[in-house]
């Protein structure tokens, strides 16, 4: 199964990035989410009560983030298992960019299912997965629209320049060394 699309979010890019990584926001916006726990800065544990055609199942799984380039892009891998429905695994690439005083979130999800979930067939899984993504973004957009707009944080200050080119005394010391060497070779050779 593969889903690729983009959504416009009514908030700044850095606010959208922060919200997409916030377990409380994700738990609020993800349909059927029972709990999301952030174990490390790049690992989440997820419990979902999902309903697919003919299957009502509990899933537990892990989401691992990688290739984080805040606030521009990330990749993630996920795995979920449920005793009644089987398993689901996949990857996603997410890209954020400024657009029309908001943020464009482009995503590509590739997933596979096993067990009873796979028996439903790819067209039904794709339809159910698409609806879940649509509901997530509808909830996420509503959540972000209710947040006050914050301007991006200022860039970090430039580090102080270092090295010979930026120190007057370094040049004086280098000049003294050159004069001593030239004088030595001129007078004693």
């Amino acid at each position: 199964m593969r889903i690729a699309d983009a959504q416009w979010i009514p908030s700044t890019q850095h606010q959208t990035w922060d919200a997409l990584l916030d377990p409380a926001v994700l738990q609020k916006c993800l349909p059927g989410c029972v709990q999301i726990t952030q174990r490390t800065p790049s690992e989440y544990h997820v419990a979902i009560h999902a309903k697919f055609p003919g299957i009502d199942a509990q899933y537990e799984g892990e989401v691992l983030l990688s290739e984080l380039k805040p606030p521009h892009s990330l990749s993630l891998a996920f795995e979920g298992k449920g005793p009644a429905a089987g398993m689901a695994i996949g990857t996603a690439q997410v890209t954020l960019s400024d657009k029309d005083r908001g943020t464009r979130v482009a995503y590509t999800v590739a997933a596979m299912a096993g067990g009873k979930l796979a028996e439903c067939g790819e067209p039904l899984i794709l339809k159910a997965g698409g609806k879940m993504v649509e509901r997530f973004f509808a909830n996420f957009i509503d959540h972000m629209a209710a947040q006050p707009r914050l301007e991006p944080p200022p860039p970090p200050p430039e580090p102080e320049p270092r090295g010979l080119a930026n120190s007057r005394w370094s040049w004086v010391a280098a000049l003294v060394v050159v004069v001593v060497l030239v004088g030595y070779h001129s007078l004693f050779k």
Side-chain angles (χ1 to χ4, degrees):
M1 167 179 94
R2 181 179 161 88
I3 300 172
D5 202 353
Q7 299 287 333
W8 181 81
I9 310 299
S11 66
T12 62
Q13 188 173 338
H14 77 281
Q15 282 180 280
T16 302
W17 174 269
D18 290 345
L20 285 172
L21 299 181
D22 184 338
V25 173
L26 295 173
Q27 186 169 335
K28 175 182 174 183
C29 298
L30 190 62
C33 185
V34 176
Q35 180 180 17
I36 294 181
T37 307
Q38 186 173 12
R39 292 184 170 165
T40 69
S42 62
E43 180 182 0
Y44 296 80
H45 177 77
V46 180
I48 294 177
H49 182 206
K51 293 183 180 185
F52 289 98
I55 300 174
D56 187 21
Q58 299 286 336
Y59 277 96
E60 287 203 30
E62 306 297 322
V63 177
L64 299 173
L65 306 179
S66 62
E67 301 175 28
L68 290 124
K69 295 177 187 150
H72 305 287
S73 64
L74 64 89
S75 295
L76 61 90
F78 58 90
E79 175 185 324
K81 296 179 183 176
M87 65 180 263
I89 60 172
T91 61
Q93 283 71 44
V94 181
T95 305
L96 288 75
S97 56
D98 287 326
K99 182 176 182 178
D100 300 331
R101 293 197 32 85
T103 303
R104 180 181 188 267
V105 177
Y107 56 91
T108 302
V109 179
M112 293 176 25
K116 287 186 179 183
L117 185 59
E119 293 172 9
C120 292
E122 188 169 329
L124 284 176
I125 295 172
L126 187 59
K127 184 177 179 182
K131 284 184 180 180
M132 190 171 191
V133 170
E134 285 175 16
R135 285 195 308 252
F136 167 77
F137 274 108
N139 294 340
F140 188 73
I141 289 167
D142 289 345
H143 171 79
M144 296 308 292
Q147 304 304 309
R149 184 179 186 85
L150 302 174
E151 291 307 314
E158 292 290 324
E160 273 193 39
R162 297 184 174 242
L164 288 177
N166 299 307
S167 171
R168 174 177 45 205
W169 295 111
S170 296
W171 282 107
V172 169
L175 184 60
V176 168
V177 170
V178 169
V179 168
V180 168
L181 288 174
V182 169
Y184 174 79
H185 286 299
S186 299
L187 297 173
F188 296 107
K189 292 225 177 184

